[in-house]
Amino acid sequence: MNNPNNPIARQNGIVVQEMPDEVLVYDMESNKAHCLNQSAALVWKSCDGSHSVADIVKEFDKAGSGQVSEDFVWLAIDQLRENGLMADEISPKFSGQSRRQVLKTIGLGAMVALPVVASLVAPKNALGSVSCACQVPANCLTLVCPSTSNCNQNGICAPDVPQPRS
Amino acid sequence: MLRKKQNEIIRSSDRLSLCFRTFGVDVELISNEKRLLDDAFAVASRSLLGNISLAEEHISDQRQRFELLRTGNRYYRVLLNGEQISSGPTRWKFLKFFDGLLRVTVGEHAPNLVFLHSGVVAWKGKAILLPAHSFDGKSTLVTELVKLGAVYYSDEFAIIDEDGNIHPFARPINRRTDDGRFVPYEISLADLDASVGEVPIKCGVLFFTKFVKGSRWQPRIISKGEALLELIAFTLPIRVNPEFSLLVLNKLVDDAILLSGRRSEAKLSAIRLLDLIDKSEK
């Protein structure tokens, strides 16, 4: 049965691709993709409203993923929250320490990989990342081309170079 | 006489249009100048390697509407679905820009296909994918791999179907001079004596790489999750259809060797890459 104090992962407006040890979550609202490593994925999947943080600690044991502490689980939840992957705003309840201290403490003694959420924003300007073709400088507002402000004599977002004298 | 007539600007109420279907996408070209419309259609035909079937009437309400307009003071404007994308005074730059915009738009909206910005060659029946941004040296590496006997599939897009198979899109290889002027030029496939892929194939190797002068050859194996995340940046329909895109990308990376790392000189990198693949099969 769900307990309102238990963490709940976001389910709406996302696309999920599961892989053997990882989960990729695509946020359709922010157009951001998140790759959850095995630890973060296990916590995220367990945040279904029926598991408390203490229960999630036991889930690690059950899954044969090793022993972790409640701070470890909170660390994962905190990252998931920061990336908009939790349904509700939930404050981490580290045992009297800051996140930085917790990270240091867990990191030193961890037998399990620390939870990691890697993120990337889907490019807005597909044309810029594909061709760097331009008509005018305004077409060059993309970070992947050699220039973000100049459309050169060849119709490419790149600096002008003096033509050699013939 | 005919030339003058073709250059004549037509009143906005009498705009000319033509419709075609390409890779499952319905496209409408609209112009206020007959010659501009003809030129744009020629660009489209070449750009999409002739994968175009003309339609007599508007095919669907979901079509992509390109308005290619010449204004009285010889200014050229391109609108896509009513939104102005670009304008400028140079006709050839305008058509070149339209060329890129059209392919990207088709790549974003093609149903049942995922267009990935990537070089593709085949080696021993499986694809080597080289996803990269412009100016990262993708075409240079593709050229060197083809010179070593790899079968050419594409230097711009990996076109992937719903089963994760990669289809050929063998345009001439587009290169730019490396003298700082970036003058574009094409290498014809005949000049390279290249074998060109004809059938869809599975992905054998996915290699995220970019040219960095003086870098050491140290490709590392990455996880499927890392690969999927990296691929997002090169997936054209990711914002339009994320669910289908991710499903297809997941199938693409299944069973593939996933690599990431910088490379230096293209010829040596191509030799090392093929050597690495050959050794991994033993």
Side-chain angles (χ1 to χ4, degrees):
Chain A
M1 202 171 131
N2 285 5
N3 178 332
N5 294 321
N6 291 346
I8 302 176
R10 181 176 154 200
Q11 299 297 328
N12 296 325
I14 55 170
V15 176
V16 180
Q17 268 300 311
E18 296 210 20
M19 287 154 283
D21 295 327
E22 295 156 297
V23 170
L24 192 107
V25 184
Y26 187 86
D27 185 336
M28 292 191 283
E29 286 165 17
S30 64
N31 284 299
K32 225 172 167 184
H34 308 277
C35 180
L36 282 53
N37 74 351
Q38 195 172 15
S39 304
L42 206 152
V43 172
W44 191 69
K45 285 183 205 167
S46 305
C47 289
D48 56 2
S50 69
H51 291 86
S52 65
V53 169
D55 294 334
I56 297 171
V57 167
K58 288 175 198 156
E59 288 297 311
F60 270 82
D61 213 13
K62 271 193 226 166
S65 302
Q67 286 192 331
V68 300
S69 64
E70 287 197 13
D71 276 349
F72 184 99
V73 173
W74 278 117
L75 198 62
I77 291 172
D78 197 32
Q79 282 192 71
L80 294 165
R81 179 192 59 82
E82 270 185 355
N83 287 292
L85 297 178
M86 297 302 290
D88 299 315
E89 195 56 38
I90 185 165
S91 304
K93 296 177 182 119
F94 297 126
S95 50
Q97 304 175 79
S98 68
R99 175 171 149 173
R100 192 184 169 86
Q101 285 169 321
V102 169
L103 198 58
K104 222 171 161 182
T105 314
I106 296 173
L108 286 172
M111 300 299 284
V112 181
L114 287 172
V116 175
V117 181
S119 305
L120 188 143
V121 180
K124 202 172 182 183
N125 178 0
L127 181 66
S129 58
V130 167
S131 81
C132 292
C134 57
Q135 229 188 322
V136 287
N139 303 139
C140 299
L141 297 169
T142 168
L143 294 175
V144 299
C145 300
S147 174
T148 55
S149 59
N150 190 59
C151 181
N152 78 4
Q153 57 269 50
N154 297 308
I156 303 283
C157 297
D160 281 319
V161 173
Q163 301 289 328
R165 287 180 189 171
S166 54
Chain B
M1 184 66 186
L2 179 67
R3 190 179 176 84
K4 191 179 174 188
K5 202 170 182 180
Q6 282 192 328
N7 284 336
E8 196 180 320
I9 296 178
I10 299 157
R11 289 194 313 273
S12 60
S13 55
D14 298 326
R15 284 180 185 173
L16 301 163
S17 81
L18 64 84
C19 297
F20 59 84
R21 176 169 283 183
T22 179
F23 293 98
V25 180
D26 294 336
V27 175
E28 182 180 14
L29 302 183
I30 301 164
S31 184
N32 61 349
E33 186 196 283
K34 169 84 170 70
R35 202 180 75 169
L36 191 56
L37 187 67
D38 291 345
D39 287 352
F41 182 68
V43 166
S45 246
R46 186 169 181 270
S47 182
L48 298 159
L49 298 175
N51 287 301
I52 277 181
S53 52
L54 275 169
E56 288 296 318
E57 291 175 8
H58 304 324
I59 314 169
S60 79
D61 291 340
Q62 299 297 312
R63 67 188 180 276
Q64 301 299 316
R65 276 178 92 236
F66 290 88
E67 289 170 76
L68 307 154
L69 307 174
R70 200 190 100 191
T71 56
N73 55 357
R74 289 189 171 273
Y75 217 70
Y76 297 91
R77 297 169 62 206
V78 57
L79 289 82
L80 176 57
N81 301 323
E83 184 192 344
Q84 178 157 315
I85 304 295
S86 178
S87 66
T90 316
R91 189 182 180 100
W92 70 263
K93 277 189 182 179
F94 172 77
L95 287 169
K96 188 175 169 224
F97 184 83
F98 164 69
D99 178 24
L101 182 66
L102 174 67
R103 278 201 306 284
V104 166
T105 306
V106 170
E108 283 177 325
H109 295 275
N112 308 319
L113 292 171
V114 170
F115 279 55
L116 194 71
H117 189 221
S118 173
V120 187
V121 297
W123 184 250
K124 297 186 176 171
K126 284 200 170 178
I128 301 172
L129 261 65
L130 305 163
H133 292 300
S134 292
F135 290 91
D136 280 351
K138 174 170 41 66
S139 299
T140 316
L141 188 54
V142 164
T143 306
E144 292 303 328
L145 286 164
V146 169
K147 283 182 187 169
L148 291 170
V151 178
Y152 179 65
Y153 267 67
S154 174
D155 89 322
E156 189 180 41
F157 293 130
I159 300 179
I160 311 156
D161 65 26
E162 54 200 336
D163 298 318
N165 296 314
I166 302 145
H167 295 246
F169 188 65
R171 286 162 46 89
I173 297 177
N174 266 298
R175 298 278 296 271
R176 299 186 192 96
T177 56
D178 55 7
D179 55 0
R181 292 162 61 210
F182 307 111
V183 181
Y185 65 97
E186 287 183 351
I187 300 179
S188 81
L189 304 178
D191 286 349
L192 276 180
D193 201 16
S195 304
V196 178
E198 290 173 357
V199 292
I201 48 171
K202 291 280 180 204
C203 180
V205 174
L206 183 66
F207 185 25
F208 297 96
T209 189
K210 67 184 283 188
F211 171 74
V212 179
K213 200 175 176 182
S215 58
R216 289 183 67 189
W217 174 258
Q218 280 181 325
R220 67 179 181 94
I221 290 185
I222 58 171
S223 71
K224 278 188 182 178
E226 281 178 273
L228 274 196
L229 192 66
E230 289 278 322
L231 282 174
I232 299 286
F234 307 105
T235 305
L236 270 65
I238 192 70
R239 283 180 178 244
V240 178
N241 195 351
E243 196 155 9
F244 178 72
S245 299
L246 288 175
L247 194 72
V248 170
L249 294 182
N250 204 357
K251 286 182 184 170
L252 177 82
V253 301
D254 213 26
D255 288 334
I257 299 170
L258 309 170
L259 301 170
S260 178
R262 295 170 176 179
R263 67 162 182 88
S264 56
E265 198 260 322
K267 189 175 180 179
L268 192 59
S269 304
I271 292 168
R272 284 173 161 166
L273 179 60
L274 296 182
D275 188 47
L276 188 152
I277 296 167
D278 288 344
K279 280 180 181 159
S280 73
E281 285 177 350
K282 282 177 187 167

